[in-house]
Each structure stands twice: as structure tokens, then as C-alpha cells.
Amino acid sequence: MTVDSNIPSDFSQMMTVTRYEFLKYLRSRRLLGIFVLEFLMIALIMVVPPALGRDYPDDPAEFSQLFVQWVWFLIIVGTTLLASDSLVSEFQNRTGYLIFPNPVKRSVLFAGKFLASVGIISAALGIFYGVSSVLVFAVRGSLSELTASSFGLAILFAIAAVSVAYLISAVMKGSTGALVLTFALFFPILLIADGILTFAKVKPDFSISFASGVINYIMETPYPKDFVQTINLPGGGVFEIANYYPEVTTAILVAIAYSVISLLLAFIIFSRREMAA
């Protein structure tokens, strides 16, 4: 038997990397923090309406939308905490000196880490959708089939967000910088850019944060359409406010484009990056 025959296959090595990354996530306080955040979001959504003397929506889809509208924020937090430093940590913590000399291809290491990141964030989303759906069913006795569509779109945009985070992680020098830049990019920077473009009546179809709105709007029947609101100003003149909504097909293509381009660039940079002295 040759030495090479004792080396596990690439697929086997990838699954080993994924398994150990999963174990690392399960032992981390970051994952616990995401579960706490989910619990608080669900508790507030269930408690606030009765506390204000309001009943829950009669339509199961409208009721579920109270939860779904926060899914993109949950993806941002999950991506920041569980994916943004996955690659850079090997260089910052010097663990690459132990891992890279082993007979494990960087492509295998990259794929294993990516699968683990997407898997753990998908599991967190599954728990959020699952618990919220149980509550909606318990209160209204039925569920909207649109919830499954929203969950599928949430997984797709989680993959896109993790891909962008991996690109950031591949180029940054430290974990803190990667965490801050990932959260800042998704939360204030892109949201501000979307707002400025909308104010200028330019539809930001290319923006991943704008396209992610499809996760929420898919719950509405009929699906909302773009319109321009005209406000008459005192003393004459009018002011126009554009209201844009992402098209479902365009949003899916945007998520796929962000995933493919970001992952390709991240892998090229990661595979060529050398350990600093």
C-alpha cells in the first residue's frame, strides 16, 4: 500500500473541515448570541401588539411578515459573527503554519469552511422560521405557503452575504477589521447608498441589500410594484418620492452574481496569500 493511498479523498477532507468548523461554531459564544437575538426578536414581536391593545393580523402571511421583515438583519448579524473572520483568522492566529503544510488543498479548506458557515447560518434561519411559523399556526390555525418561498430566498441571500464576507475576510489583515467592515458594508453603507439612489429616483437593482427586500415582499399578495408619490408643497410646486421594490427574478440573479463573483475572488486571493512572518 502506498503512502498516497492512505490520504483521504478531497471530499472526505472537506467534510472533516466542515465538521470541525461546525463544532467550533457550536462551542462559540457568538452562536449563543445569535440564538439570544432570535429569541428577543420573536418575543418582542409576540408581546408588543397585545401590550399596545392590538390584535395579531388575521392573514397568516401578514402575521408571518412581522417576523420575516427582520430576516435580512438576522443574516447580517449571523454573517458578521460566523463568517467574516473565517479565512483571516488562519493568518492572524498563525494557525496556517500548522494547517497549510498538511496534505490538504487550500480549495478543500476553503470549501469546508464555506459549507460550515452557510450551514450554521441556514440552521439559525431555520430555527427562526420554524419557531415563528409554529407561533403563527398556534394563533391563526394555518400558515401561508409564501413562508416557504421567503425561507428559500433567505437561504439564497445568506449564501450571497457569506460569499461577500469571505471576500472581505480574504483581503483583511485582522479579524476585528473584517468584522467591522462586513457589518458596516451591509448595514449602514449599502442602506445609505440605497436611500440616496432612491431619493434621486434611481432604482438600485444591483444592490444586494435592496435586492434582499424580496425576502419580505414575497409575503405580500399581490406583489408590490414601483410607484412615485407626489406631494403638493405649500406655495406651489410638487415633491416626488420614489418607492421601489425589487423584482423577484432580478433579485435572485443579483444574489447569484454576488455569490459567484465574491467566492471566486475570495478563493483566488486565499489560495495565493502567503503567511506573513
Side-chain angles (χ1 to χ4, degrees):
M1 184 177 291
T2 65
V3 174
D4 289 342
S5 63
N6 292 324
I7 299 177
S9 65
D10 289 347
F11 179 78
S12 178
Q13 291 180 340
M14 182 185 70
M15 297 310 298
T16 299
V17 173
T18 302
R19 184 169 67 253
Y20 278 99
E21 286 291 310
F22 246 104
L23 291 174
K24 184 182 72 175
Y25 288 136
L26 293 176
R27 294 167 180 166
S28 71
R29 294 182 179 179
R30 294 182 182 184
L31 183 60
L32 178 61
I34 291 175
F35 287 148
V36 171
L37 176 63
E38 288 187 340
F39 172 78
L40 291 176
M41 292 167 66
I42 291 174
L44 285 174
I45 293 169
M46 292 300 295
V47 169
V48 170
L52 298 177
R54 298 176 181 176
D55 198 3
Y56 301 119
D58 294 329
D59 183 4
E62 187 178 349
F63 194 175
S64 295
Q65 196 175 16
L66 294 178
F67 300 93
V68 169
Q69 62 182 327
W70 297 103
V71 166
W72 177 239
F73 177 73
L74 188 61
I75 292 174
I76 293 174
V77 174
T79 299
T80 300
L81 295 180
L82 302 176
S84 61
D85 63 346
S86 291
L87 301 181
V88 69
S89 62
E90 303 293 354
F91 299 93
Q92 181 184 17
N93 300 330
R94 301 292 189 265
T95 51
Y97 284 118
L98 300 175
I99 297 175
F100 297 154
N102 290 318
V104 180
K105 298 177 182 176
R106 289 204 185 189
S107 58
V108 171
L109 187 63
F110 183 93
K113 283 176 170 286
F114 181 75
L115 284 177
S117 298
V118 171
I120 199 68
I121 294 175
S122 298
L125 289 174
I127 292 173
F128 185 77
Y129 271 91
V131 174
S132 61
S133 295
V134 168
L135 293 172
V136 171
F137 186 82
V139 175
R140 290 293 173 237
S142 62
L143 285 175
S144 171
E145 61 184 12
L146 295 175
T147 305
S149 301
S150 177
F151 179 60
L153 289 168
I155 297 298
L156 177 63
F157 275 89
I159 294 173
V162 171
S163 301
V164 174
Y166 265 51
L167 175 57
I168 293 174
S169 185
V171 300
M172 295 298 290
K173 293 183 177 179
S175 296
T176 302
L179 287 164
V180 172
L181 181 56
T182 300
F183 187 79
L185 174 66
F186 285 124
F187 195 56
I189 295 176
L190 285 177
L191 288 181
I192 292 173
D194 293 346
I196 293 174
L197 290 173
T198 300
F199 184 77
K201 288 190 285 190
V202 177
K203 189 174 181 178
D205 276 323
F206 54 87
S207 168
I208 186 175
S209 61
F210 175 76
S212 69
V214 73
I215 299 172
N216 176 32
Y217 297 129
I218 198 68
M219 300 298 297
E220 297 184 19
T221 305
Y223 192 85
K225 296 182 178 179
D226 300 343
F227 68 94
V228 177
Q229 182 179 2
T230 302
I231 300 175
N232 295 319
L233 300 176
V238 295
F239 183 74
E240 294 183 338
I241 300 176
N243 296 271
Y244 295 130
Y245 301 91
E247 298 291 339
V248 177
T249 303
T250 304
I252 291 174
L253 293 176
V254 168
I256 293 174
Y258 271 84
S259 301
V260 173
I261 296 173
S262 298
L263 267 187
L264 181 61
L265 292 175
F267 174 68
I268 293 174
I269 296 171
F270 177 71
S271 61
R272 296 183 177 182
R273 185 170 176 176
E274 299 293 338
M275 294 293 299

